């Protein structure tokens, strides 16, 4: 017979040992009942896999598999603490992920604009850039017959624009854009089955 739940164990003593272990886990778990049930189901699945889906597993096999899982109180303390932290920080984490995605998108747009500006300046340096016109006004873009008195930026802008474009694009594609660099100092806590 295939083992689907611990209640299917043929050996009554093995079934009682497993049930006692899970009772201790549930008593020590300090989270919501839905999270407790999910955690118990996950642990029961691990136990069933460790027993190779064998409903005729002996008491010794069940006790060894439970020993490999660990003390139920320790697992409950770790998982319930992690689930409480994740439920409290869930909205904050979603907002941080959204802000990170937006920042990466902005990084890509800025990088592409810098790249376009650098190539435009390279294609026609005399008429593309930031200029002061003879009448005192400023022009950003291309000069089309206007009377230019001064090229404000000069040739050094091309390598700077290429470097900035490369930095923004690499940062955005490597998930280490501006937002990730700001929030990257945070370390993740313990991993639970709910994260």
């Amino acid at each position: 017979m295939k083992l689907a739940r611990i209640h299917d164990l043929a050996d009554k003593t093995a079934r009682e040992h497993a049930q006692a272990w899970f009772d201790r886990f549930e008593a020590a778990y300090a989270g919501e009942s839905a999270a407790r049930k999910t955690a118990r189901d996950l642990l029961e699945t691990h136990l069933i896999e460790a027993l190779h889906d064998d409903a005729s597993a002996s008491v010794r096999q069940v006790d060894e598999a439970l020993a490999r899982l660990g003390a139920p109180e320790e697992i409950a303390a770790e998982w319930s603490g992690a689930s409480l932290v994740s439920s409290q920080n869930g909205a904050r984490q979603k907002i941080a992920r959204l802000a990170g995605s937006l920042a990466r998108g902005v990084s890509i747009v800025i990088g592409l604009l810098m790249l376009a500006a650098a190539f435009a300046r390279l294609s026609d340096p005399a008429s593309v850039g930031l200029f002061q016109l003879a009448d005192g006004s400023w022009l950003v873009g291309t000069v089309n017959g206007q009377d230019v008195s001064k090229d404000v930026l000069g040739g050094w802008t091309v390598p700077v624009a290429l470097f900035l474009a490369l930095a923004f694009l690499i940062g955005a594609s490597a998930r280490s854009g501006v937002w990730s660099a700001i929030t990257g100092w945070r370390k993740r806590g313990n991993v639970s089955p709910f994260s």
Side-chain angles (χ1 to χ4, degrees):
M1 182 172 141
K2 187 170 179 171
L3 181 63
R5 303 290 295 178
I6 61 166
H7 301 294
D8 298 335
L9 284 166
D11 187 322
K12 180 182 177 191
T13 309
R15 192 170 53 245
E16 288 172 351
H17 281 218
Q19 186 60 48
W21 190 94
F22 283 104
D23 288 346
R24 287 172 49 202
F25 172 79
E26 288 186 1
Y29 193 91
E32 298 173 1
S33 61
R36 180 183 302 116
K37 182 182 179 333
T38 303
R40 181 196 164 103
D41 290 346
L42 181 66
L43 286 169
E44 195 168 333
T45 301
H46 287 311
L47 176 62
I48 291 168
E49 288 173 359
L51 296 173
H52 306 291
D53 301 330
D54 182 13
S56 62
S58 68
V59 175
R60 184 185 55 79
Q61 290 172 307
V62 170
D63 286 343
E64 286 174 0
L66 291 171
R68 282 193 302 270
L69 282 175
E73 293 81 10
E74 290 176 10
I75 296 171
E78 180 183 330
W79 286 10
S80 60
S83 67
L84 289 174
V85 169
S86 66
S87 67
Q88 291 170 354
N89 293 331
R92 253 185 258 142
Q93 289 173 350
K94 288 177 184 177
I95 291 171
R97 279 194 297 268
L98 176 64
S101 295
L102 290 174
R104 281 188 292 281
V106 169
S107 293
I108 290 170
V109 169
I110 292 173
L112 291 175
L113 287 174
M114 290 286 199
L115 197 60
F119 282 119
R121 179 77 177 180
L122 279 173
S123 68
D124 191 5
S127 62
V128 175
L130 175 63
F131 302 98
Q132 184 175 14
L133 302 178
D135 63 0
S137 61
W138 294 78
L139 173 69
V140 177
T142 58
V143 175
N144 293 323
Q146 288 98 335
D147 188 17
V148 174
S149 67
K150 179 166 113 175
D151 180 0
V152 178
L153 295 178
W156 62 269
T157 58
V158 173
V160 169
L162 286 173
F163 173 77
L164 289 174
L166 188 63
F168 275 103
L169 291 174
I170 288 175
S173 67
R175 295 188 54 94
S176 59
V178 176
W179 179 257
S180 296
I182 291 169
T183 61
W185 59 270
R186 294 184 182 167
K187 294 186 178 183
R188 290 185 183 256
N190 291 333
V191 177
S192 79
F194 314 107
S195 56

